[in-house]
Amino acid sequence: MLARAMMTVLATDTGRDDAGPAPDPAETGRQLRELAALAPEPRRDAVAELAEAEGQDLLGAALAWAVAQEDPWTAGADAGVLAAVLEAMAGGIVAAVGVGNKVNRRAKLLLEAWAQLLRAVECDAAGNRAEAHRRFLLARQYGESAGEWRCAVLAALGTAVCGSAAHTARAEELVPHLEPAVAELERFLGRELPELREGLWLRYEAFELVAAAADAERPEQVVELTAPWLERRAPGALVELAAAWRRELWRLLEEGAADRAVLRAEWGDRLVARADPGSPFRYWLAECFAQAGDWDRTAAVVERLRAEHPDDGPGLLRRLARAHGHAGRRRTAIDLLRSGLSDPPTAAEEEVLRTLVLMLMEEDSPEAARWEAELVRLAGTGVRELASAMPRPAPNRSAPSPGSRTGG
């Protein structure tokens, strides 16, 4: 809820100031996601190819799209998409020193400030406190330099909720200290911001609940602890509880308590299952382990998810096979992928088949030709040219990065 409120405040009244027809949010979202999926340099080139008017239209449509989004559970991902596009726009602006480039320099700084704030929102939604705090600090610096006080004040509030001791503060003690900043923002915008205020309260109350739940020995105790609060608070309360829970998982990972993090992730999934089904915490945790090169734990978490979510067979099957493969269990991975294919393979199994072919080619297995022929039958092309793109194991890292919660 807090992430969505910040994103909406940033985007509202920014960008489009013409009286033309409003852009279609669905089409805008599709365009933004396609751009965000590109690597940074191609994305910057794609944006740079737009005429000046087209670039302004895209900026206005992108900010209008951000305001139109309502689902608080997707705020982090939406912020990341928008940030990627704004970064590309900023990267394409030439802002050399000189009087004639003053407007360009401010425009570039403005886009960079917005992008940093959105990246901070993305990291905050993922529970990565340290990176969110760093990004909020940058957004505040850029915002002040550009004279964009909306961004600067939001960033100041963000640093408060992402401070190293924020999770130990009580709502009634800290939120009143943030009230002057919210009031200043309201004066600047000329309107009240009840969702932002509510989000701040809920965030700190969620921190208190998660801290109290740290000593629980059973998931039922967590439910008993949180249920009364969820019943009496706003609909966005569960979103804030999830954000605080993910931050606790980050803390456990940073302390080396990975097994305890797995257990807490399972409890958290039970807690948010009604509003956000699909085991989001464990999907995220599996990706954290994968990015840290901990393939054994990745495989263990995904195996448990497969047992609980049989409908997500292809995506989880591929993720599990990759984990086994990176852990050195190639034959296990290949057998898993083969078990997920029909005879002959169907169109729905194309990605599983593609992964199998790539893995067999890595092994120089004579089986690769047979299965690649099946892939050509289904997709019209093989994967010989993709063999060099087969992912290699990542090095171990002490601090995993936020990951995707989608299987596959």
Side-chain angles (χ1 to χ4, degrees), residues 1-6 72 75 120-121 123-129 132 136 157-158 160-163 166-171 174-175 178 195-210 229 233 236-237 239-245 247:
M1 181 174 179
L2 182 59
R4 176 64 66 194
M6 284 192 168
V121 169
C123 293
D124 174 62
N128 190 344
R129 180 205 63 78
F136 276 127
L157 292 171
V161 299
C162 292
H167 64 293
T168 65
R170 297 180 63 83
L174 189 56
V175 174
L178 304 179
E195 290 188 358
L196 183 60
R197 279 193 169 87
E198 185 72 8
L200 290 168
W201 273 103
L202 292 178
R203 173 63 60 87
Y204 284 105
E205 288 180 347
F207 282 154
E208 292 178 40
L209 282 176
V210 170
W229 180 73
R233 297 302 273 158
V239 178
E240 291 308 320
L241 188 60
W245 200 274
R247 173 171 170 164

Side-chain angles (χ1 to χ4, degrees), residues 47-360:
V47 171
E49 289 174 0
L50 299 174
E52 183 177 353
E54 292 176 325
Q56 288 296 322
D57 286 344
L58 176 60
L59 176 59
L63 294 168
W65 170 82
V67 174
Q69 305 311 296
E70 296 181 352
D71 186 354
W73 294 99
T74 66
D78 294 341
V81 167
L82 186 55
V85 176
L86 295 182
E87 287 165 352
M89 290 180 171
I93 295 177
V94 177
V97 176
V99 177
N101 279 311
K102 185 175 181 180
V103 173
N104 278 0
R105 288 201 303 275
R106 184 179 185 278
K108 186 181 184 73
L109 196 58
L110 197 64
L111 290 171
E112 289 173 340
W114 292 344
Q116 289 292 346
L117 185 74
L118 290 163
R119 288 299 187 194
V121 169
E122 179 187 26
C123 293
D124 174 62
N128 190 344
R129 180 205 63 78
E131 182 62 11
H133 190 266
R134 185 181 77 84
R135 296 276 190 169
F136 276 127
L137 284 174
L138 287 172
R140 183 173 183 177
Q141 293 169 9
Y142 289 164
E144 289 175 347
S145 298
E148 219 299 45
W149 302 112
R150 165 189 4 221
C151 183
V153 175
L154 285 172
L157 292 171
T159 57
V161 299
C162 292
S164 59
H167 64 293
T168 65
R170 297 180 63 83
E172 61 267 22
E173 295 173 352
L174 189 56
V175 174
H177 291 287
L178 304 179
E179 173 59 29
V182 179
E184 179 184 350
L185 191 59
E186 287 182 331
R187 287 192 296 272
F188 177 81
L189 298 175
R191 57 190 171 88
E192 295 183 353
L193 301 171
E195 290 188 358
L196 183 60
R197 279 193 169 87
E198 185 72 8
L200 290 168
W201 273 103
L202 292 178
R203 173 63 60 87
Y204 284 105
E205 288 180 347
F207 282 154
E208 292 178 40
L209 282 176
V210 170
D215 296 327
E217 297 180 356
R218 303 186 312 278
E220 292 78 13
Q221 290 177 298
V222 175
V223 173
E224 292 171 1
L225 179 67
T226 57
W229 180 73
L230 291 171
E231 289 174 1
R232 72 174 184 270
R233 297 302 273 158
L238 189 55
V239 178
E240 291 308 320
L241 188 60
W245 200 274
R246 189 171 281 112
R247 173 171 170 164
E248 174 67 8
L249 296 179
W250 266 105
R251 186 186 67 79
L252 291 171
L253 290 177
E254 290 169 347
E255 292 179 356
D259 292 338
R260 188 167 179 81
V262 172
L263 179 62
R264 292 291 170 174
E266 182 176 344
W267 291 9
D269 286 338
R270 294 190 193 186
L271 192 64
V272 304
R274 286 178 298 173
D276 194 18
S279 303
F281 293 116
R282 279 176 291 168
Y283 271 106
W284 172 82
L285 198 59
E287 188 67 15
C288 283
F289 288 145
Q291 292 188 30
D294 190 343
W295 298 108
D296 287 330
R297 282 199 173 90
T298 303
V301 172
V302 176
E303 187 68 74
R304 180 66 179 269
L305 289 173
R306 283 189 73 210
E308 294 181 15
H309 303 286
D311 292 341
D312 192 16
L316 287 172
L317 179 68
R318 291 169 59 222
R319 181 174 283 193
L320 181 59
R322 286 169 175 161
H324 281 305
H326 285 311
R329 297 183 289 271
R330 285 294 183 119
R331 295 315 306 176
T332 299
I334 290 170
D335 289 344
L336 268 171
L337 291 167
R338 198 187 290 113
S339 72
L341 296 173
S342 305
D343 188 14
T346 66
E349 298 163 353
E350 180 181 328
E351 291 305 315
V352 174
L353 180 58
R354 191 181 307 278
T355 305
L356 174 62
V357 172
L358 285 167
M359 198 166 285
L360 288 169

